[in-house]
């Protein structure tokens, strides 16, 4: 079983004081923003680590406001990268934190320019983990296709969302296991 949290900053293979960066990617409507707030606030996930939130989602109406409200309610710092080139500066402003959770825009993988933009932003940020968020209730073939389409973003984990809507569905878990990807 995979650990609940990434390696501690400064651990093996780390240089300097760079935060652990965990990015959530996935299709539109998969439910990336709410799990970020849940991960940031659950004591079993990051414990006493200081967490910052970074939004790359300026595409969806209300995305920045939703992220800002979650951050305010949680007492967490929140940064937004409005342009592709803003990601590094936003991360630098969050650099004193041990973990930075990154929310990306949900866009269709079939729109090559959208995926290329997200790929460039993630390349700038060099995340330690990239979690593909897949909602429960997907058909197996659809879940496999979404995983294949998002692999170029550097997917390292799968995160199941909307489990309350389909509590008995294990499709996302089965696809993650089939591809040897740890689950969150």
């Amino acid at each position: 079983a995979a650990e609940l949290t990434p390696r501690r900053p400064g651990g093996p293979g780390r240089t300097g004081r760079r935060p652990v960066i965990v990015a959530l990617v996935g299709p539109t409507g998969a439910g990336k923003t709410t799990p970020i707030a849940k991960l940031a606030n659950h004591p079993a996930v990051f414990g006493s680590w200081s967490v910052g939130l970074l939004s790359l989602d300026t595409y969806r109406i209300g995305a920045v406001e939703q992220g800002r409200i979650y951050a305010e309610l949680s007492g967490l710092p929140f940064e937004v990268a409005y342009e592709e080139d803003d990601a590094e500066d936003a991360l630098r402003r969050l650099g004193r934190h041990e973990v930075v959770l990154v929310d990306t825009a949900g866009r269709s993988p079939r729109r090559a320019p959208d995926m290329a933009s997200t790929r460039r932003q993630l390349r700038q940020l060099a995340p330690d983990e990239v979690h593909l968020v897949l909602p429960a209730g997907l058909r197996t073939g659809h879940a496999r296709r979404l995983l294949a389409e998002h692999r170029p973003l550097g997917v390292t984990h799968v995160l199941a969302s909307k489990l309350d809507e389909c509590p008995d569905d294990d499709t996302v878990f089965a696809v993650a296991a089939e591809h040897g990807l740890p689950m969150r």
Side-chain angles (χ1 to χ4, degrees):
E3 295 177 18
L4 275 179
T5 57
R7 294 167 286 149
R8 282 217 178 262
R14 293 244 174 249
T15 58
R17 296 182 41 105
R18 182 181 181 272
V20 172
I21 301 169
V22 179
L24 272 63
V25 302
T28 304
K32 293 176 290 299
T33 305
T34 300
I36 280 185
K38 290 177 180 180
L39 289 170
N41 287 290
H42 197 290
V45 179
F46 296 112
S48 64
W49 293 7
S50 62
V51 178
L53 307 178
L54 171 57
S55 178
L56 306 180
D57 186 2
T58 58
Y59 182 75
R60 181 175 54 91
I61 294 172
V64 171
E65 292 78 12
Q66 183 182 15
R68 195 175 315 281
I69 289 168
Y70 281 146
E72 284 177 20
L73 291 172
S74 304
L76 299 172
F78 179 73
E79 292 289 336
V80 179
Y82 288 97
E83 303 292 330
E84 275 186 34
D85 295 337
D86 293 345
E88 286 181 282
D89 288 336
L91 179 59
R92 200 172 358 269
R93 290 189 295 273
L94 293 168
R96 73 179 193 282
H97 298 282
E98 294 170 292
V99 177
V100 173
L101 299 176
V102 180
D103 190 12
T104 63
R107 300 202 191 160
S108 171
R110 295 194 177 114
R111 289 189 35 98
D114 292 344
M115 289 298 277
S117 174
T118 300
R119 192 169 41 253
R120 284 189 298 271
Q121 286 179 308
L122 291 176
R123 193 176 307 124
Q124 287 177 27
L125 296 173
D128 297 280
E129 296 182 2
V130 177
H131 296 239
L132 174 60
V133 179
L134 294 175
L138 293 176
R139 291 183 324 272
T140 302
H142 189 195
R144 287 179 182 139
R145 187 176 72 245
L146 287 169
L147 175 57
E149 291 171 341
H150 285 83
R151 279 283 180 146
L153 298 178
V155 172
T156 61
H157 294 75
V158 175
L159 191 152
S161 65
K162 304 186 180 189
L163 292 169
D164 56 329
E165 296 174 19
C166 301
D168 297 327
D169 182 40
D170 66 355
T171 301
V172 173
F173 298 90
V175 169
E178 175 183 305
H179 292 274
L181 291 169
M183 290 289 302
R184 295 286 195 239

